[in-house]
Amino acid sequence: MRVMIAEDDALLREGLVLLLNTAGIEVIAAADNADDFLTAVAGERPDAVVMDVRLPPTFTDDGLRAAVRAREIHPGLPVLVLSAYVEDSYAAELLGDGAGGVGYLLKERVGKVDRFLDSLRRVADGGTAMDPEVISQLLVRRKADDPLAALTAREREVLALMAEGHDNAAIAGRLVVSEGAVLKHIRSIFAKLGLAADESGHRRVLAVLAYLNA
């Protein structure tokens, strides 16, 4: 796997480079600002990028805008976003094209090396990897007119685990139910979100998108 990194904190940036190289993942560029990152992305397409939300010069949403721009340059480019805070609108914007290959982790998760690497590989394969804390706060922030209000408590649990990027078997294991039960819940979620049964392979991503944008 060939990865680019965009992170302004020198210690974290070099730590990520070392971690990925040790795991056998090639880091082809490591930038400390959005402009240099976009120049590198324009030169060649990596298999995935890992980037901070807040980058120079404004330290607001420069990383987000660079990630969105990178996916315009290379449609579907897998992006794993790191942030010190839960900023769910950023995750929703990245998921807006419905292409998948998006992850959102809090920086504190990077210390859990196996989990971080698993999330990166999942995103590189076109899946999603949402931080449980992001999912938790999204649940709390829902409004009374939430279009997902029709989902049962169990369906919301299943959808949250889908948003984290887990497959049916993993969801079944976490909820201590059968895979058949999980499949029934997912079919019900798709129906309630208006996702037709014959819709192509991005239905899980579209469900997560509805979850984030509701």
Side-chain angles (χ1 to χ4, degrees):
M1 186 192 309
R2 300 164 65 255
V3 172
M4 288 185 182
I5 297 172
E7 168 59 58
D8 67 292
D9 184 295
L11 285 177
L12 180 54
R13 185 175 63 254
E14 294 306 315
L16 285 169
V17 172
L18 178 60
L19 187 158
L20 295 178
N21 285 338
T22 301
I25 297 172
E26 180 185 2
V27 178
I28 59 176
D32 63 2
N33 64 82
D35 290 340
D36 287 348
F37 164 74
L38 286 174
T39 297
V41 166
E44 59 180 306
R45 174 170 180 155
D47 297 315
V49 300
V50 177
M51 60 191 312
D52 191 1
V53 168
R54 300 184 176 186
L55 291 172
T58 70
F59 292 98
T60 55
D61 62 351
D62 299 82
L64 164 71
R65 288 186 283 109
V68 172
R69 175 58 184 149
R71 282 167 71 91
E72 291 173 352
I73 295 172
H74 300 300
L77 175 67
V79 175
L80 178 57
V81 172
L82 301 179
S83 177
Y85 311 98
V86 176
E87 299 169 284
D88 51 273
S89 62
Y90 293 165
E93 184 165 350
L94 280 174
L95 276 167
D97 59 11
V102 173
Y104 188 117
L105 297 182
L106 296 182
K107 287 187 175 181
E108 62 191 61
R109 312 294 184 195
V110 177
K112 300 176 181 178
V113 175
D114 290 343
R115 182 170 185 172
F116 170 71
L117 293 174
D118 177 67
S119 296
L120 177 59
R121 292 186 177 105
R122 188 184 306 153
V123 168
D125 287 339
T128 58
M130 306 303 295
D131 195 290
E133 183 62 24
V134 175
I135 303 305
S136 170
Q137 293 202 27
L138 286 172
L139 282 170
V140 172
R141 297 175 190 178
R142 293 303 175 204
K143 301 178 181 179
D145 60 352
D146 183 356
L148 300 181
L151 299 185
T152 66
R154 177 62 87 183
E155 287 167 352
R156 290 168 75 87
E157 286 181 310
V158 170
L159 184 54
L161 290 170
M162 287 169 60
E164 288 181 33
H166 299 293
D167 60 19
N168 291 4
I171 293 173
R174 285 174 177 254
L175 298 181
V176 195
V177 298
S178 68
E179 286 191 52
V182 171
L183 183 58
K184 288 181 180 179
H185 288 310
I186 291 175
R187 286 173 175 166
S188 178
I189 291 168
F190 287 159
K192 291 178 180 179
L193 294 181
L195 300 173
D198 61 352
E199 197 143 4
S200 66
H202 293 308
R203 282 191 299 161
R204 291 177 82 99
V205 175
L206 292 172
V208 172
L209 176 59
Y211 182 77
L212 290 170
N213 281 337

